[in-house]
Amino acid sequence: MNRTFILFTILIFLLACISCQQKVKKENHFNDKIFLLENNPQLYLSKLDTSKINNIRNEKEATNFLLTSLAMNYINDSYPEKNLLLKSIQIFQQRKLIHQQLKSLLLLAKIYKQEDNLNKEVEIIKEAINIAEKEDEKEQLYYLYSYLGEMYIREYNMMNFIKYQTLANQYIKDFPFQEMNISTQIQVAKSFLYIEQYKKSYELLDSIEISISKNNIHYNEIKRLQGIVLFKTMQWKQCIEKIQEVLTLKQTEEHKFICYSILTYCYYLTNDLTNAKKYKKLAMSYDIDTKTNFTEIEFYKLCSKFAKENNELESQLDCLYKTIERYENILTKLNGQSLDKAIQAYTHICERKDYEKKISTYQYGLIGLIFTISVGFLTYFNKKKKQAYRLVALQQQIQALENLKSVKDEAKLFILRDFEVAKQIAMLRYTQKEQSAKLLKEIEKFNFIKYNDLLTTQWNSFYKHIDLSFDNFYSMLKENHSCLNEKEMQLCCMLIAGFKTEEIAAIWMQSIFSVHKYKTNIRKKIKAPDGANIISFLSQKNEIQ
């Protein structure tokens, strides 16, 4: 009997080894197909069997569907039917095919991104991270955490982007760059671009470009990123050449807008106004996406400056409206559901599931041991339960405080940008009264001046903004220098906010001479030397931080 048992154990072991070898072979074969697909998706798609694409019953059909979907996505940015993709993922999970699961989940996350479904996108990426962690897939973990970091860039939260990018970098710190796949290499180059290490980023992009063909799915992205690096390093002529080359390749409408915006800027700075106007018009024609990013804001600010220098008042006003509209879109998004909340919601669901599993385990244990467990054990269990609740409550309080700090920082940023727009409108109203009278009436129709604290002289609201943005400047000024009158207080607050003399005169609708007179009176009252910078003097005396 012992001999039979030993033979049976050996047989089971051999079957397990064969099964593992077959699994490894399947995944290696799949990875080889992905490599060929990424190098030439059109050629690879022509060799795939797409006849059973709507009928997924087994592993082979699921893999064929996934490869076809990826090829179509690479070629024309199309996405597969969600139900069929979910069915394929279910088959891959049953067969424990890790690489197929991860590729499918990333494609599914991109579908939810297109649908603007933040909760589901986070849920899918977190699910992929859990799978990759169990299998210790370091390269995949790097890519997934980088994906989360870029989601925070979409949410205008650079602090959390840095947090997730740092976490991602931990997984590849000992991983040779040349052994990474192309998508991971590009992600590494992009991370250097985000942290402004432009030289390193360009070197990596250059080395990747040499290693791939023009048919590779990443070729267009590499060329575009090279153009962005040249733009960031102010190499205008080289940037123009690179972006012009990029525009000959296939690009999405979003990427075309970015390229045309960069060309507008480069031609403007090289004094080629004809081409600057041409690409400005092209960029605006591709600005049809309802989602807002900082590229659009910077573009319209440039167009406003360009129109002002060419005395095109209507164009300047239109660009200012578009800038304000983009800021309002960002503010609306920040006031809505954030990425942090989506991650917290998913984490809460996972914690609740784990908690319910634990409770179920405890309940079954209690049923079996109810006649032997003492009152002391029940007391101990309840104590541990209360401690767990306290820990969860403390974690929630810490998270709430972090969210409060983030909201405060974002509020400061928008207040300062509101000041900048107020300056431009005030100067427009003050310096060109006759020419812009009609335009200012148009502004009033949109209630822009009505809701601007400076332009409507709502000083109490303005003082609150100053306290929030400049560490209680107004409150400390009022406490330490009660000798200053209301006008002098206003002047100090506008100076700390970065307003120039002529801008202050425009806000007050008084002469520049009157502003200088108020400055002289302030210096006398705070006992500052003639001609001294008022804000610098107060800072040096440590009277106001």
Side-chain angles (χ1 to χ4, degrees):
M1 184 173 179
N2 290 336
R3 189 175 179 182
T4 304
F5 177 76
I6 292 170
L7 289 172
F8 179 75
T9 304
I10 292 171
L11 180 61
I12 294 295
F13 177 76
L14 289 173
L15 288 172
C17 289
I18 293 169
S19 176
C20 289
Q21 286 178 351
Q22 288 178 342
K23 179 184 173 184
V24 171
K25 283 182 179 179
K26 284 179 181 178
E27 297 209 332
N28 287 337
H29 184 57
F30 176 76
N31 289 337
D32 291 339
K33 287 184 176 181
I34 290 293
F35 178 79
L36 294 172
L37 174 61
E38 290 180 347
N39 274 285
N40 196 331
Q42 290 181 331
L43 177 63
Y44 194 80
L45 183 62
S46 65
K47 298 179 180 180
L48 286 174
D49 179 15
T50 59
S51 59
K52 299 179 180 179
I53 197 168
N54 294 320
N55 189 16
I56 300 173
R57 296 165 297 184
N58 52 47
E59 176 192 325
K60 182 180 178 181
E61 291 174 351
T63 302
N64 185 61
F65 171 75
L66 174 59
L67 291 170
T68 303
S69 301
L70 288 171
M72 296 297 291
N73 180 251
Y74 295 151
I75 293 169
N76 54 25
D77 298 317
S78 64
Y79 291 93
E81 188 178 334
K82 197 191 306 177
N83 291 336
L84 293 176
L85 185 58
L86 288 169
K87 189 173 182 180
S88 299
I89 291 172
Q90 187 177 11
I91 292 172
F92 295 144
Q93 288 173 338
Q94 291 171 354
R95 304 292 296 172
K96 296 182 179 179
L97 299 171
I98 304 304
H99 293 173
Q100 284 90 324
Q101 283 186 67
L102 293 175
K103 278 289 182 184
S104 302
L105 289 171
L106 272 172
L107 186 58
L108 183 59
K110 290 177 182 178
I111 293 174
Y112 286 124
K113 178 184 175 182
Q114 288 290 110
E115 296 175 356
D116 204 21
N117 190 336
L118 190 63
N119 281 333
K120 295 299 288 185
E121 187 181 2
V122 168
E123 181 181 333
I124 295 303
I125 293 298
K126 284 285 189 178
E127 183 180 343
I129 287 174
N130 291 336
I131 293 170
E133 283 179 341
K134 288 178 183 177
E135 300 296 324
D136 197 27
E137 291 280 349
K138 289 185 168 55
E139 195 170 354
Q140 290 291 342
L141 285 168
Y142 168 80
Y143 190 88
L144 291 166
Y145 276 113
S146 295
Y147 187 104
L148 268 181
E150 290 187 349
M151 288 178 72
Y152 273 108
I153 291 180
R154 281 159 38 200
E155 295 289 313
Y156 321 108
N157 189 333
M158 283 302 294
M159 290 302 295
N160 275 334
F161 160 72
I162 293 170
K163 169 186 169 183
Y164 278 98
Q165 192 59 52
T166 302
L167 184 60
N169 289 336
Q170 294 299 313
Y171 290 102
I172 59 164
K173 61 182 180 180
D174 300 322
F175 205 99
F177 183 78
Q178 297 302 327
E179 293 182 14
M180 300 176 188
N181 60 47
I182 300 298
S183 59
T184 307
Q185 289 180 346
I186 294 173
Q187 199 66 37
V188 172
K190 284 170 71 175
S191 70
F192 282 112
L193 174 59
Y194 289 138
I195 61 176
E196 300 182 1
Q197 291 190 26
Y198 301 127
K199 183 178 179 181
K200 181 66 175 176
S201 178
Y202 196 87
E203 288 174 354
L204 293 179
L205 290 168
D206 196 40
S207 67
I208 299 168
E209 181 191 1
I210 294 170
S211 67
I212 63 174
S213 69
K214 290 186 178 181
N215 293 322
N216 191 286
I217 61 168
H218 301 293
Y219 185 79
N220 296 2
E221 183 181 13
I222 291 168
K223 303 295 283 187
R224 185 176 65 256
L225 290 172
Q226 287 175 331
I228 293 172
V229 172
L230 290 171
F231 173 72
K232 292 290 186 181
T233 53
M234 297 184 287
Q235 300 180 57
W236 311 126
K237 291 184 179 179
Q238 296 91 324
C239 178
I240 289 171
E241 292 176 3
K242 185 66 69 174
I243 295 298
Q244 290 286 13
E245 183 182 352
V246 170
L247 288 172
T248 63
L249 306 172
K250 180 179 176 292
Q251 301 292 332
T252 63
E253 290 188 350
E254 178 187 357
H255 292 151
K256 284 183 179 179
F257 174 79
I258 292 171
C259 291
Y260 287 136
S261 300
I262 291 174
L263 285 175
T264 303
Y265 201 97
C266 291
Y267 279 120
Y268 174 71
L269 291 175
T270 53
N271 294 319
D272 187 347
L273 300 184
T274 302
N275 276 319
K277 288 182 178 180
K278 171 186 172 182
Y279 287 106
K280 170 189 170 184
K281 186 176 180 180
L282 284 169
M284 287 183 170
S285 70
Y286 282 98
D287 182 23
I288 58 176
D289 196 347
T290 56
K291 298 175 184 178
T292 298
N293 56 55
F294 287 121
T295 304
E296 295 174 20
I297 292 173
E298 292 303 319
F299 170 71
Y300 284 114
K301 284 170 69 177
L302 169 70
C303 292
S304 172
K305 180 181 177 183
F306 180 58
K308 181 179 179 182
E309 292 180 359
N310 288 277
N311 295 320
E312 298 173 355
L313 295 179
E314 290 190 14
S315 177
Q316 181 187 0
L317 186 61
D318 181 57
C319 291
L320 285 172
Y321 281 147
K322 289 183 183 295
T323 304
I324 294 164
E325 182 183 355
R326 266 81 185 156
Y327 279 131
E328 288 175 346
N329 288 343
I330 292 176
L331 186 59
T332 301
K333 189 174 182 66
L334 289 170
N335 286 336
Q337 187 178 37
S338 68
L339 178 58
D340 280 329
K341 290 181 180 178
I343 291 176
Q344 289 171 27
Y346 176 78
T347 305
H348 179 68
I349 291 170
C350 293
E351 288 176 349
R352 188 173 65 185
K353 287 181 179 178
D354 291 340
Y355 180 74
E356 288 173 353
K357 285 180 181 178
K358 290 178 182 178
I359 292 296
S360 298
T361 303
Y362 293 148
Q363 286 174 344
Y364 287 126
L366 285 171
I367 291 171
L369 300 174
I370 193 168
F371 296 105
T372 58
I373 293 176
S374 64
V375 175
F377 178 78
L378 290 173
T379 304
Y380 176 77
F381 176 78
N382 288 331
K383 183 179 178 181
K384 285 291 182 183
K385 191 175 177 181
K386 288 178 181 179
Q387 288 176 347
Y389 282 134
R390 287 197 195 100
L391 181 60
V392 171
L394 285 172
Q395 290 173 340
Q396 291 174 344
Q397 289 175 8
I398 291 169
Q399 189 62 52
L401 289 172
E402 288 180 352
N403 288 342
L404 184 62
K405 182 179 181 300
S406 176
V407 169
K408 184 177 178 182
D409 291 339
E410 290 162 355
K412 286 184 182 180
L413 182 62
F414 281 100
I415 289 167
L416 293 174
R417 287 172 179 162
D418 193 44
F419 289 170
E420 290 298 320
V421 176
K423 290 179 187 179
Q424 294 186 45
I425 296 298
M427 290 302 295
L428 182 65
R429 182 173 63 181
Y430 180 74
T431 58
Q432 302 182 42
K433 295 179 182 177
E434 295 181 1
Q435 297 91 329
S436 61
K438 183 179 179 180
L439 297 178
L440 289 169
K441 287 181 180 179
E442 292 297 321
I443 292 175
E444 290 174 357
K445 287 181 183 179
F446 289 93
N447 292 324
F448 177 66
I449 295 176
K450 179 180 177 182
Y451 294 112
N452 191 288
D453 297 333
L454 277 173
L455 298 178
T456 55
T457 62
Q458 297 177 21
W459 294 106
N460 287 336
S461 297
F462 176 64
Y463 294 148
K464 291 178 182 177
H465 293 336
I466 290 296
D467 271 349
L468 177 61
S469 301
F470 299 100
D471 298 327
N472 295 316
F473 176 86
Y474 170 73
S475 299
M476 296 177 69
L477 184 69
K478 188 174 181 181
E479 179 182 349
N480 296 330
H481 295 283
S482 56
C483 59
L484 299 178
N485 60 35
E486 179 66 13
K487 278 284 188 180
E488 291 162 350
M489 289 282 188
Q490 292 174 11
L491 179 56
C492 288
C493 288
M494 284 192 280
L495 286 174
I496 191 71
F499 283 74
K500 297 177 182 177
T501 302
E502 59 270 19
E503 292 167 348
I504 296 170
I507 296 293
W508 278 350
M509 297 300 291
Q510 293 182 5
S511 68
I512 292 175
F513 175 77
S514 298
V515 177
H516 282 301
K517 188 175 179 181
Y518 278 109
K519 286 184 177 180
T520 302
N521 291 339
I522 292 172
R523 289 190 188 97
K524 288 180 180 179
K525 289 183 180 182
I526 66 175
K527 298 179 181 180
D530 292 341
N533 184 291
I534 293 170
I535 301 304
S536 298
F537 179 80
L538 292 173
S539 299
Q540 289 171 1
K541 291 293 185 180
N542 293 322
E543 294 177 347
I544 299 175
Q545 298 298 325

